Amino acid sequence: KNQVEQSPQSLIILEGKNCTLQCNYTVSPFSNLRWYKQDTGRGPVSLTIMTFSENTKSNGRYTATLDADTKQSSLHITASQLSDSASYICVVSAGNDYKLSFGAGTTVTVRA
Amino acid sequence: DTGVSQDPRHKITKRGQNVTFRCDPISEHNRLYWYRQTLGQGPEFLTYFQNEAQLEKSRLLSDRFSAERPKGSFSTLEIQRTEQGDSAMYLCASSLWGSGSNEQFFGPGTRLTVL
């Protein structure tokens, strides 16, 4: 069964600090991995996408890494801002690329 | 706004009533997906369309659920005889299949509360 597990479930950080979110997956065959940001009451918005051959991808203050051998990914948020408060969801696509496997998300709260 | 739109954004209904949600995808996108998301969980796949054809339905989609995309553009998701367990966020997404990235773009969702 394709599974995506994220940790921690939630975290609180002070504005300006960095944090790292983890994602482990067992999806096979692997096509790509995306990190989405979901604000409360909104739909998910894509932050980064990585294929098998990519091991890092940045989008502003967001940097994602991928280790396809260990099937792990991380999302690093640098110099956090209050607007970073959201749920961050790791999404893995299998070979057919339309059936997505979603993690439960990590809820990040940034405090002033 | 040229993104995916959904209507209504919120729906409160009594158990046993029927509800219908609408999704308008990004105009040139040929695939449209429906997901359900409960609090603290990631979205779960319900069904998807390529143009007007419904190609797959999840086992989560009971007989009380029906989705249509009659002209290959907007889609509706109807829930008949709603139950309290149907309370969730219903997300719609669209993608351009065959474009290479096949990225799914999500709408803002419809929050359903069944009393």
Side-chain angles (χ1 to χ4, degrees):
Chain A
K1 180 182 177 183
N2 290 337
Q3 285 189 315
V4 179
E5 295 185 355
Q6 292 187 241
S7 63
Q9 185 175 14
S10 63
L11 64 91
I12 300 172
I13 57 173
L14 292 177
E15 189 177 13
K17 299 297 185 182
N18 305 334
C19 66
T20 300
L21 317 178
Q22 301 292 339
C23 172
N24 297 334
Y25 62 92
T26 58
V27 177
S28 181
F30 176 85
S31 178
N32 58 63
L33 183 148
R34 292 186 173 98
W35 283 93
Y36 280 85
K37 178 185 179 188
Q38 185 173 24
D39 293 316
T40 301
R42 309 288 299 184
V45 175
S46 179
L47 292 175
T48 63
I49 176 174
M50 289 178 291
T51 59
F52 185 87
S53 59
E54 297 174 297
N55 55 25
T56 187
K57 187 70 71 78
S58 290
N59 178 1
R61 296 179 295 102
Y62 301 102
T63 299
T65 65
L66 173 65
D67 186 332
D69 292 330
T70 62
K71 297 186 177 181
Q72 295 180 325
S73 177
S74 68
L75 180 69
H76 186 75
I77 305 175
T78 303
S80 60
Q81 300 177 358
L82 296 178
S83 59
D84 293 331
S85 295
S87 178
Y88 293 84
I89 304 175
C90 176
V91 183
V92 183
S93 177
N96 55 29
D97 205 30
Y98 74 86
K99 203 77 133 337
L100 305 180
S101 295
F102 292 81
T106 293
T107 300
V108 174
T109 303
V110 180
R111 291 190 174 162
Chain B
D1 187 350
T2 57
V4 178
S5 62
Q6 293 186 244
D7 183 70
R9 294 292 310 279
H10 304 274
K11 179 70 176 179
I12 300 174
T13 190
K14 293 182 179 179
R15 190 173 51 187
Q17 298 295 306
N18 299 343
V19 294
T20 300
F21 309 142
R22 177 180 170 123
C23 171
D24 286 89
I26 294 173
S27 59
E28 65 269 24
H29 283 186
N30 48 16
R31 284 200 170 180
L32 186 148
Y33 313 80
W34 284 99
Y35 294 88
R36 181 172 68 188
Q37 185 177 26
T38 53
L39 202 61
Q41 299 298 316
E44 297 172 292
F45 171 81
L46 292 178
T47 187
Y48 88 100
F49 294 82
Q50 178 152 323
N51 299 314
E52 65 277 6
Q54 188 173 19
L55 296 188
E56 185 169 340
K57 294 192 290 186
S58 161
R59 276 174 282 183
L60 292 174
L61 214 65
S62 74
D63 292 344
R64 297 183 297 104
F65 288 71
S66 63
E68 295 182 341
R69 195 184 184 197
K71 298 181 180 179
S73 56
F74 74 91
S75 175
T76 57
L77 177 68
E78 181 183 16
I79 309 174
Q80 296 182 327
R81 305 180 303 281
T82 53
E83 301 172 356
Q84 288 185 325
D86 297 331
S87 295
M89 173 80 89
Y90 290 85
L91 291 166
C92 175
S94 70
S95 71
L96 182 58
W97 181 256
S99 65
S101 81
N102 297 316
E103 178 178 352
Q104 294 186 26
F105 293 83
F106 286 83
T110 294
R111 167 76 63 189
L112 173 66
T113 302
V114 181
L115 302 176

